[in-house]
Amino acid sequence: TVKITVTERVPFGYVAYAEEDAKYFDEDGKITDISDKRLDNSTIWLDVIPNGEKVGDKIVDDDVMLSSYLDTAKALKANNIFVNSIKIDENHNIYANKDGLKINFGLKNDMDDKCKRLSIILPQLENQQGTLHLENFSKDNTDIVFKRE
């Protein structure tokens, strides 16, 4: 007898660059699907040019950028926070957008704590426009600034 085990690789996020099809990737940053259809419950990673060309390739070669995206997306998911998009700049600062609310996480340090605090704050900011500054938040500095637009 032959035993075959199949493990489904669930899309964790996707990149849609220019006119290309969306490239979905898993929790390891490997491309799982390339499609013109948009799947629910996947967060878009903005302003990144994917290096991977086919299923199984790593989505980007920059390991710091990839771990910043994956750590942020995992921390958000663990706290039941669903954002519209995540963006990472050239200095690896992380930004998210949630229904018009901009969230500045800064670097990925203390991301679990930042997301726990964010889950408490978000209901108070419902239907508000502005930027929530979490970039200086840490166990030693719990100050969070919200700037209305």
Side-chain angles (χ1 to χ4, degrees), residues 12-60:
F12 196 72
Y14 71 98
V15 172
Y17 181 72
E19 298 299 317
E20 296 180 9
D21 289 339
K23 293 180 180 178
Y24 291 88
F25 55 94
D26 63 12
E27 290 188 15
D28 298 323
K30 291 189 178 169
I31 298 172
T32 58
D33 191 20
I34 299 172
S35 174
D36 61 348
K37 296 181 175 77
R38 297 294 182 255
L39 303 176
D40 293 337
N41 300 326
S42 291
T43 301
I44 189 168
W45 183 359
L46 293 176
D47 295 342
V48 65
I49 300 171
N51 294 18
E53 295 296 321
K54 62 186 182 316
V55 172
D57 286 354
K58 197 156 70 165
I59 192 74
V60 293

